[in-house]
């Protein structure tokens, strides 16, 4: 059994613990900030994007950017700015740079890391993952972000929504592997609207990392405007939570894809959960699918970055 599959199965219990973590100091630093920056790289960038969705209530100016974009922008920061740096290991070069520059600017800084990272301002979540396909650290970071949003009155979801997450994640981990039969011959496309567009990108990333499967994630409107053109027989589409798309575009894109010969499937989380928080169990469903396909394809989902892609110069760029 892979470390990935074991971690996915354990996520419900891990989130139970994260729901009890102390986030008061972080919430105090965020409260009253006029401008919020959520910064991360890779999977952590997707967490940053959903973090921005969670803080959508109120008059704060909210931005979600990659660590590299944050560095390139060199935005002047001050005490009215709050920067949330998300990095599971604390070793990502641009995350380190973003944190260093934010601290040096006098901005309010809150980090979300794995356990043992050693950043004094950090809310620590779970132990360092044994698999390079990160799963639990992502869902745990999202729970911390949701709790921070609730603490500062920036969210629209209720405490009961947060309490429901561990059991929903347990169900998602059990059921997600059955989302798709055999992978398509050519390309698997994931699409969603609103916060589900972030889940489409994160799900595609997990499928590429774990199962080495050609997969791409798109916001539904972006997919429609040209990116869907080459799709046809031999491809498959995963439509994420079309029922939550108030404009109906995700369902309409699915119908058009089926008309072009694409095999269309739906990723669905039962109703009753805030649409942003629903992205946590939805993502776990896609993680479970990626793990199952990795096993079937005979690839190692725990060792992902190899060969020339592991060159130290690549990973230290920006430091």
């Amino acid at each position: 059994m892979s470390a990935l599959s074991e971690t996915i199965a354990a996520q419900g219990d891990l989130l139970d613990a994260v729901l009890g973590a102390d986030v008061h100091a972080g919430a105090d630093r965020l409260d009253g900030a006029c401008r919020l920056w959520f910064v991360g790289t890779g999977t952590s960038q997707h967490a940053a994007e959903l973090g921005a969705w969670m803080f959508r209530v109120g008059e704060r100016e909210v931005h979600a950017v990659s660590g590299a974009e944050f560095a390139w922008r060199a935005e002047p920061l001050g005490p009215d700015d709050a920067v949330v740096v998300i990095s599971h290991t604390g070793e990502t070069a641009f995350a380190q740079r973003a944190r260093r520059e934010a601290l040096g600017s006098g901005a309010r800084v809150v980090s979300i890391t794995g356990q043992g990272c050693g950043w004094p301002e950090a809310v620590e979540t779970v132990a360092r993952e044994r698999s390079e396909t990160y799963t639990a650290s992502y869902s745990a970071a999202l729970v911390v972000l949701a709790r921070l949003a609730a603490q500062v009155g920036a969210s629209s979801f209720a405490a009961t929504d947060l309490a429901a997450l561990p059991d929903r994640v347990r169900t998602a981990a059990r059921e997600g592997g059955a989302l798709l039969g055999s992978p398509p011959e050519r390309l698997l496309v994931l699409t969603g609207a609103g916060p589900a567009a972030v889940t489409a990108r994160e799900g595609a990333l997990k499928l590429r990392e774990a199962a080495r499967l050609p997969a791409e994630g798109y916001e539904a409107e972006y997919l429609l405007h040209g990116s869907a053109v080459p799709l046809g027989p031999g491809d498959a589409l995963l439509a994420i939570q079309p029922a939550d798309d108030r404009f109906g575009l995700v369902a309409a894109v699915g119908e058009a894809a089926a008309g072009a010969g694409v095999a269309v499937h739906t990723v669905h989380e039962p109703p009753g959960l805030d649409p942003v928080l629903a992205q946590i169990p939805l993502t776990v469903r896609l993680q479970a699918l990626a793990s199952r396909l990795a096993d079937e394809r005979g690839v190692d989902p725990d060792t992902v970055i190899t060969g020339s892609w592991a060159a130290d110069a690549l990973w230290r760029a920006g430091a």
Side-chain angles (χ1 to χ4, degrees):
M1 180 178 289
S2 66
L4 173 63
S5 63
E6 292 176 353
T7 304
I8 292 170
Q11 280 186 97
D13 293 340
L14 294 172
L15 294 190
D16 270 328
V18 174
L19 283 170
D22 186 0
V23 301
H24 288 91
D28 287 345
R29 285 194 292 275
L30 297 181
D31 197 19
C34 296
R35 189 165 57 162
L36 299 177
W37 297 87
F38 295 89
V39 183
T41 297
T43 286
S44 292
Q45 181 179 344
H46 296 150
E49 291 169 357
L50 284 179
W53 274 97
M54 292 174 185
F55 280 77
R56 67 193 185 277
V57 175
E59 298 181 355
R60 298 173 182 85
E61 183 182 331
V62 179
H63 302 271
V65 296
S66 70
E69 181 182 349
F70 188 81
W72 270 105
R73 291 174 70 137
E75 193 79 25
L77 303 174
D80 288 334
D81 288 284
V83 181
V84 180
V85 180
I86 306 166
S87 175
H88 178 48
T89 64
E91 297 173 357
T92 308
F94 279 109
Q96 290 179 342
R97 186 185 191 104
R99 174 180 178 263
R100 184 172 64 250
E101 292 181 355
L103 287 169
S105 72
R108 311 164 185 220
V109 180
V110 177
S111 297
I112 301 174
T113 71
Q115 294 173 2
C117 181
W119 292 357
E121 78 290 347
V123 179
E124 296 190 345
T125 58
V126 297
R128 183 159 180 167
E129 296 204 47
R130 294 178 293 132
S131 174
E132 290 181 1
T133 302
Y134 287 169
T135 52
S137 57
Y138 180 71
S139 55
L142 293 178
V143 169
V144 169
L145 287 163
R147 294 188 61 212
L148 289 169
Q151 287 275 343
V152 302
S155 69
S156 61
F157 41 78
T160 52
D161 284 340
L162 288 168
L165 286 172
D167 281 342
R168 281 184 176 259
V169 162
R170 291 182 184 100
T171 300
R174 291 193 302 269
E175 296 178 351
L179 284 173
L180 186 70
S182 299
E185 295 177 7
R186 194 175 73 107
L187 181 66
L188 178 60
V189 174
L190 294 80
T191 191
V198 181
T199 298
R201 294 190 290 272
E202 173 63 13
L205 176 58
K206 297 304 103 171
L207 288 157
R208 295 178 76 94
E209 287 179 326
R212 313 298 196 273
L213 185 69
E216 298 174 355
Y218 294 98
E219 194 276 330
E221 187 197 26
Y222 189 90
L223 177 62
L224 177 64
H225 283 257
S227 294
V229 169
L231 301 181
D235 301 314
L237 179 78
L238 287 178
I240 300 172
Q241 203 75 346
D244 282 348
D245 175 14
R246 60 194 175 99
F247 300 111
L249 183 57
V250 175
V253 165
E255 292 173 3
V262 176
V264 179
H265 309 269
T266 300
V267 187
H268 172 71
E269 180 63 23
L273 193 62
D274 177 270
V276 179
L277 292 186
Q279 303 315 310
I280 299 174
L282 283 166
T283 301
V284 173
R285 292 176 185 275
L286 295 168
Q287 293 169 354
L289 174 63
S291 179
R292 191 210 99 204
L293 292 177
D295 291 343
E296 291 182 356
R297 291 164 65 86
V299 297
D300 179 7
D302 299 331
T303 305
V304 174
I305 307 299
T306 61
S308 61
W309 296 115
D312 186 64
L314 283 174
W315 294 88
R316 297 309 304 161

